[in-house]
Each structure stands twice: as structure tokens, then as C-alpha cells.
Amino acid sequence: MLDLRPVGYVIGLLAAIFGATMLFPLFADLWHGNDHWPIFLESSLITTVTGALLALTCAGGVRARLTTQETFLLATGVWSVMPLFGAIPFLLGATEATAVDAIFEAMSGLTTTGSTVFINLEDLPHGLLLWRSMLQWFGGVGIIVVAMVFLPELRVGGMQIFRSEAFDTGGKVLPRAAAIAAHISVIYVGLTLLCHLAYLAVGLDGFQAINHALTTLSTGGFSTSDASFGAFQGAPEYVASVFMVLASLPFVRYVQIMAGQARAFLKDAQVRGFMWTIFGLVAVVTAYRILANGDHAEHAFREGLFNVTSIITGTGYASVDYQLWGGFPVVLFFFIGLIGGCAGSTCCSVKIFRYQILFGSVVRQIRAIHSPNGVFVQHYDGRPVDEALISSVASFFGVFVLALGVISVLLGMTGLDFATAVSGAATAIANIGPGLGSTIGPAGNFAPLNDTAKWILTAAMLLGRLELLVVLVLFLPRFWRV
Amino acid sequence: MLDLRPVGYVIGLLAAIFGATMLFPLFADLWHGNDHWPIFLESSLITTVTGALLALTCAGGVRARLTTQETFLLATGVWSVMPLFGAIPFLLGATEATAVDAIFEAMSGLTTTGSTVFINLEDLPHGLLLWRSMLQWFGGVGIIVVAMVFLPELRVGGMQIFRSEAFDTGGKVLPRAAAIAAHISVIYVGLTLLCHLAYLAVGLDGFQAINHALTTLSTGGFSTSDASFGAFQGAPEYVASVFMVLASLPFVRYVQIMAGQARAFLKDAQVRGFMWTIFGLVAVVTAYRILANGDHAEHAFREGLFNVTSIITGTGYASVDYQLWGGFPVVLFFFIGLIGGCAGSTCCSVKIFRYQILFGSVVRQIRAIHSPNGVFVQHYDGRPVDEALISSVASFFGVFVLALGVISVLLGMTGLDFATAVSGAATAIANIGPGLGSTIGPAGNFAPLNDTAKWILTAAMLLGRLELLVVLVLFLPRFWRV
Ligand SMILES: [K+]
Ligand SMILES: [K+]
């Protein structure tokens, strides 16, 4: 029999802390004079007590070391259980959400997806808006820890190339996770504060600034109004663009910069590839807006920069409905959403390093079929890339595309049209936020979807956030054998 | 300086023969009393004379052995040059096509894609209709030879696993190609005749039967009326389904069956995977039609069988507009078009064996991340699969998806909407035929597209037909160095 206590203990502990953080939205409601605050007291009590009881029950089985099996269960467990607790304020609160809507919204928060089923956001109590933003912020820091500790160790989808950069604590995963979380938290909090100040400087009020800082650094994309960033056109779009990019770079590099090693950051192949990709895409979109739509230069550049950055980083803020720009941007934005940012950041999707390795592999293949007797060694970031790594990256890519297909077909089965089904699957599995079409597009909302579609999307967000394989491994029969 | 004469010689020779075959549509016009026949005389003379001159000019450089470099040039050269000759009857004839339309149609024919820019097909002279069907039939046999001789030899996209099955003639590519072409032709002609007789038996007239036999065996999908197979509902749909499947199986197995070795056919992992996939998809679509659309059983099964088979084999006949069945079939048919048939047949797209290898690799990856110290060897069709093969297959898959993205974006740039751009790119690169939406969908036509989009699609058909890498290798700077 599998001993689930070590996993239950960590989840219980996290839930207890999670419940305590519900006091922040409680104070936000009190501060703004909303009489909505008691629901956070209830939610907090339920969550903290349940978490504490779980931790106490499991405390007897705690060990310093987690097995591989337990590590997988922990990752999937955290992102399956926390959304249930996170949904409680939506169930009890002013949103009066159904179970599926509450869980969808909490999952969309904790996976940093940012698709929303709530409308008239402006009318929600401050506490609930803050809670949505906090879910994304917690999800963001959580995923950085997972990406820096668990995935390289578990060799998921080629993440093993970042192994040497992970913090070494002698194989003990939990102490390592705590150490990394501490380092990362300092940076994450610092950048969030900087972002908050910058938003204040360009005219957002205090509440808007803190909410958008929380959802920018987590590349989450929840906003405080239905218009998303449409309410903040102009300078705030530049601020958001800068911080969305900062949130998409490998956080380990910031730790190194703090330690005086800026060189590694500047030479990082992932960072360079990502910046050049953004540069190229912004140039193309800006040119298109000027030449095809007759837009004026600053406006074209600003909207191009903001929307390209928002989609490629997977943040998913919308400042305009780019579907009105013509066919080209729509198709382009669909595909750049499948690129994603750097590994080791809050970004999801396929990620830039996998494309770099895939592209290198394709060039090597082409060379090899041209010169069958030649020996071609592929390099990435100065290190040789072996066939095992390529097949690991490629399998990830394959499973990503296959999952995209399966989820699209399932969504189609619930009655969605082609663009909604395919873009809905993509936006969920890549944790972006908006899809395409009139329903779930940048100007739309996920509220009108049927419940089955919402459940499918909820599962897809979880699957995508944990790089698919972490979840799929649980479906291996041998996983459950001791 | 690269000596292009061996390549030019073969292309010239093929063109001369190609020109001679234009006498068939000439006789068809004469037989049916159309005064349209002289255009085929002109086309034939132009093609044969040009081809013969080219062959004579290059005859001095002929060698028994082609280098790898020359082999690539030959494949891309044949499928680039033949469509130019094949377009002549459309330029001169009753279609009075523009250059782009004529070349699009000829490329759609020779790549067995089957997208058409001509409307009111019923009103075209018999000769032109026959010529369209013949283009597909030639393209089909040509691609089997390429898939059996060149691709395994060139190790393109994992095709090297079929190396042992190719006919061994001691490394001399051209004699081998001729030997294989001879074997294959017997089977190809035989199956075409059987298909012709079967179509006659279920009520098609002689001209309809021969045209559809030619485009069924080549999984091409050109028809003789705008309604495509909508004109032949009932028993002809069953006949077409059977022969589309037969055309999608590895032709080397038929050669073996002729030699009394039926065992290899029955044990072939590709054949089994393909048949199970069709079985599963037909069951799902039939059930959907009965349960969701309230269709009656035989009709649901027949339309399910015919349309699933038509799309997965990449034939692209349409008997109904399945876009009227709801969202699910639309999304499903989009993705099953990306599956394709077996390697070594007339089918294009990714092909079933690559999914089998990718799927095996994903399972192996999942096992490996679960048991980091375990050693897992992947098998395919009873043989071990090495990392190099997986990365070869995966690189093909990666380049296929990337090409799909790039072509979609380019099509979007010409002003097409999301569904038209993405499905147009997919249908061209996978050589299927119909796309989605009101313009290029199963009930539509490619005629209304802008010229730029038609050129892009023409290039995409060529790229897809030659498994992408065969064409992309030409863009390698070192390819052109001696
Ligand atoms: K997001
Ligand atoms: K076809």
C-alpha cells in the first residue's frame, strides 16, 4: 500500500498557510468598507482547519526525502487540491458561483491562466478581486519552484538540461525546495513591488496597481475590470510590457545577478532567443498595423508591443480586440501563444528552449540526410545536446500537440465551433487566458460556455501547467505499484 | 560547379513521357465528340519536345549512380517542373485559367492534394477532366516510388526504418527506382482496374468510373462534378471507402502478397494501427451521428465510414458538408487529416507510423521519469527503436507543426480568417484537399482565394508531398557547395 502521508502532510501545511492568506482579502474588504468580509473569515477557517487536520493526521509519516513517486503526487496534488480551497470564497461570496465556475476560476488563477467566467468584475467586492490576483501570484511562485526543483530532477520534457543550475542540496527535495523558494521569493516580491510602484507612477490607483502587479509578475492576466487592460491604454501598457518580459525570464538568473554574476544572464541562450523573438514579432505586427491598417507609429508600436508580449509570455491581458485587426494578427497570435517564455519563469506553454532544441535538431537532421556519413553534434547554450535530450524535448512537443488535438475534439464534442474549440484548448493547455472568436476571444469571457466545456478546460489548465508528463505519469499502471 | 545534367536528363525523360500521355485526354475528347482535342495536341507537342530537348542536352552527363545531392534535386525538381507542364492544358484549354490557377490545379493534381480552383466541373470537356485525374494518378505512383526508394535511403523523417524492406539493388538508386516502379505499377494498375470495375458495378458511368478510380487509388480526391462524391451517395461510398483504404496501405506488402507472403501484411504494425484507428474513428462518428444528430444507423455508418476514410487517407472526397453535423466532427476531421495513412502508400500527412513511434516514445519518457534508473527499450514492429530514429521522427513532427504555423500565418497575412488560414495550411501541407469554413470547406472551392494565397498553398503542397525535409535541405547553404 502506498504511503500517502508525506504528500498529505505537505499539502495540509500549504493549505493551512493558504487559508491564513485569506485574511488579506478580508482586510481589503474591511478597508474599503465592504460588508462582504465575513465570507473570507469563513473560507479562511474552513481552509486552515482542514489543512491543519490533514497535516496533523499525516505528520507521523513525514520523512526528509521524497521518493520520485511522491514528488509527482505532490505536484499534481497541490494543483488539484488548492483550487478546491481557493474556490471557497467564490462559492460563498458575492459571485454566488456554481461549483464548476468557482473551481474553474480558482484553477485559472492558480495555474496563472487568467481565463475568467465572472462578468461585471468592476462590481465585485475588493476582497474577491484581490483574492483572484493573489491566486495567480501564489501559482506563479509555486510554479517557479516546481520548474527549478522538481522538473530538472524528474527529467520532464528536457528540463534536465537545467539540472546543473538548480540549487544543490544533496538530493533532498524538500529542503532544496524551501531554499529555492526563499531565494526566489525575495526576487519575486521585489519585482512585484517595483511593478506596483511603476503602475502607480503611470496613473493606476493603489488597488488597481497592486492587483495588476500581482497578475503581471505571475504572467497570470486576471484584471480588475471586464475591459482588462483596455482601461489602461497608454503608458501603463509600456510598464506592463516590461514587467511581463521580466516575469518570463529564468529566475535563477536574477538570483545570480543578486550575487554579482550578471554575465550568465547576458549570455543565456534562452534569454537571447526570447528577446529576439519578441523583437521580431513586435516589428512585424507594428509594420502590419502601420501598412495594412493605417495606424500611426506610436500607437501601432505600443499595441504591437503590449499584445505580442501579453500573448507570448502567456499573460493574456487584452488592451484591444486584435481580432479586429484582420486575419493575420489572429492567426499569428494563436501560434505565438504556443511559444511561451523561458523555462524557470512563471510562463507556461512549450517554452522557448524547446523550440531552440527542436530547431537545432531539425537543422542537424537536414544536414545528416544531406551528408549521411557526417557526424553532427548539436549544441545548446554551449553544451552538447545528446539524442536522449532531443527525444525528451520532442516527446514533450509531441504530447503537447496530441493533447491539444484531443482537448480540441472533446471541446468540439460539447458543441463549440472550430475556432472556439481549438483556441480554447490552446489557451487552457498553454495557460494564456483569452482564446479566439466572439465568445472566448480577447473581448469575450468564458462564462457562456457549457459546464462540460468548463470542466474540460479546468483539467487542461492543470495538465498544461504541470508540463503534461507530470500528470500523465499518474496514469501509468506501474506508478501505483509499490 | 554543380553538374545538374544527370538530374536534367531524368526530368527531361519524364517530361517527354508525360507529354505523350496527354494523348489520352486527346482521345477522350475525340471519343466524346468534343472539338476541344487540339489543345492536347499542342500541350503534348510542347511538353514532349521540351522534355526531349532537355534530355538530349543533358545526356552527356548521365551516370548510373546519383549522388545524395542529386537525388534531392531530382525529387524536388520533378515535383516543381512537372506541374508547369501539367498546367499547359489548363492554360490553353476551356478553363482559360490564369497562370496561378493552372499551376495550382496541376500541383494539386501531381501532389495528390485534390483542392480545386475550377468551378462548374460538369461543363468542362472530358479531356480536361481526365487530365486532372491522370495528374493525380501519376503523382500517386511517383510518390510510392519516392517513398520506397529515396526516403529510406535518405533517412528522411524516420523513413530509414523501412530500409530493409526496400528492394535492394546494391545502392544504385536509378535501377532500383525502375525495378520498384515496375513491380508497383503492376499492382497500382491492377487495383485501379478493380476499382474501376467496382465503380461500374455500383452504377457510375464509364467516364465517372475511370476518373474516380484514378483519383481513388492515388488518394487524390479530384472528382468530375462540383458535388464531388455527393453525386454518388449509397453503394459507391462503400466502394470508395474500401479502395481508399487499400490505397493507403504499404504497397511493398502487396508485392509480398503477390509473391505468396501474406503473413508480413497481416503482422505489419502500421497496417494494424491504421485499421484500428479507422475502426475507432468510424465507431465514434457513427455513434455521434445517431445519438446527437438522430441519424438512422446505415446512413450514419456509411457517411461516417466514407468521410473518416476520405480524410484520414487524405483523399479528400466530400459526400456531404460535414460542417453541418456540429462542432465535434469539424474539429475531429481537422485533426484526423493530420494523421494520414501508411508510409509507402500514396498517402501524405504525418503518417501512422510516426504517431506510433512518437506515442511509444512518450510512454517510454513517462516510464523513465517515473523510474530514473530504469532502462526502457522501445520497440516498433518487433525491432528496437534507437534514440536517433526517435529524434528523426520527432524532428519531422516538429518541422511539420512549425511549417503548419508559418504557412497559416502567411495565409492570414493575405487576409484569410482563422479557420480558412489554419485549415488551408493543413489541407495543403497534408495533401488532403478540402479545408474548413464556407470558402474552402467540403462544400466549397479554392477559386475565390487571392492569388498570393494560391501561390502559398501551391508551395505548401509541394513541401508537404516531399515530406518537407527533402525540400528544406535545398535551403542549406552547404547543399550547394561541391
Ligand atoms: K495567463
Ligand atoms: K488528397
Side-chain angles (χ1 to χ4, degrees), chain A residues 68-69 72 154-156 284 288 327-328 330-332 334-335 355 358-359 361-373 376 387-388 390-392 394-395 397-399 401-402 404-405 408-409 412-413 415-419 421-423 436 469-470 472-473 476 478-479, chain B residues 68-69 72 154-156 284 288 327-328 330-332 334-335 355 358-359 361-373 376 387-388 390-392 394-395 397-399 401-402 404-405 408-409 412-413 415-419 421-423 436 469-470 472-473 476 478-479:
Chain A
T68 308
Q69 202 179 20
F72 281 111
L154 299 173
R155 304 187 296 171
V156 169
V284 168
Y288 174 86
F328 164 62
V330 175
V331 183
L332 184 73
F334 175 79
F335 284 101
Y355 285 102
L358 266 183
F359 188 77
S361 165
V362 169
V363 170
R364 200 178 53 103
Q365 289 293 329
I366 292 176
R367 283 186 183 164
I369 58 181
H370 173 236
S371 314
N373 302 319
F376 303 95
E387 296 278 3
I390 297 168
S391 81
S392 182
S395 298
F397 188 72
V399 85
V401 175
L402 293 182
L404 189 61
S408 301
V409 170
M413 215 179 263
L416 306 190
D417 66 86
F418 178 74
V422 175
S423 72
L436 296 176
L469 302 172
V470 175
L472 293 177
V473 75
L476 205 63
R478 76 169 66 189
F479 182 88
Chain B
T68 307
Q69 202 179 19
F72 282 110
L154 299 173
R155 303 187 298 172
V156 169
V284 168
Y288 174 85
F328 165 61
V330 175
V331 182
L332 183 74
F334 174 80
F335 284 102
Y355 285 101
L358 265 184
F359 189 76
S361 166
V362 168
V363 170
R364 199 179 53 104
Q365 288 294 329
I366 292 177
R367 282 185 186 166
I369 57 181
H370 173 236
S371 314
N373 301 319
F376 303 95
E387 296 279 3
I390 297 168
S391 82
S392 183
S395 299
F397 189 72
V399 84
V401 175
L402 293 181
L404 187 62
S408 300
V409 170
M413 215 180 264
L416 306 191
D417 67 85
F418 178 74
V422 175
S423 72
L436 296 176
L469 301 171
V470 175
L472 293 177
V473 75
L476 205 64
R478 77 169 64 187
F479 182 88

Side-chain angles (χ1 to χ4, degrees), chain B residues 112-114 219-221 314-316 431-433:
Chain B
T112 75
T113 305
T219 62
T315 308
N431 302 128
I432 303 167

Side-chain angles (χ1 to χ4, degrees), chain B residues 194-267:
Chain B
L194 272 181
C195 184
H196 173 65
L197 295 174
Y199 278 137
L200 284 178
V202 292
L204 276 68
D205 70 30
F207 187 72
Q208 290 165 342
I210 187 63
N211 277 284
H212 287 92
L214 292 173
T215 62
T216 299
L217 258 295
S218 54
T219 62
F222 272 155
S223 183
T224 51
S225 81
D226 287 354
S228 185
F229 241 73
F232 313 113
Q233 297 197 343
E237 288 174 288
Y238 287 113
V239 171
S241 301
V242 169
F243 281 95
M244 288 191 285
V245 170
L246 288 176
S248 307
L249 301 178
F251 272 63
V252 64
R253 299 290 174 226
Y254 297 135
V255 177
Q256 291 172 323
I257 291 175
M258 300 279 283
Q261 302 162 340
R263 208 178 133 77
F265 176 83
L266 297 170
K267 288 188 64 181

Side-chain angles (χ1 to χ4, degrees), chain A residues 108 111-115 136 215 218-222 310 313-317 427 430-434:
Chain A
S108 176
T111 56
T112 76
T113 304
S115 306
Q136 296 209 314
T215 63
S218 54
T219 62
F222 271 155
S310 173
T313 62
T315 308
Y317 286 139
T427 205
N431 301 127
I432 302 166

Side-chain angles (χ1 to χ4, degrees), chain B residues 108 111-115 136 215 218-222 310 313-317 346 427 430-434 465:
Chain B
S108 177
T111 57
T112 75
T113 305
S115 306
Q136 296 208 316
T215 62
S218 54
T219 62
F222 272 155
S310 173
T313 62
T315 308
Y317 287 138
T346 59
T427 205
N431 302 128
I432 303 167
R465 184 70 275 188

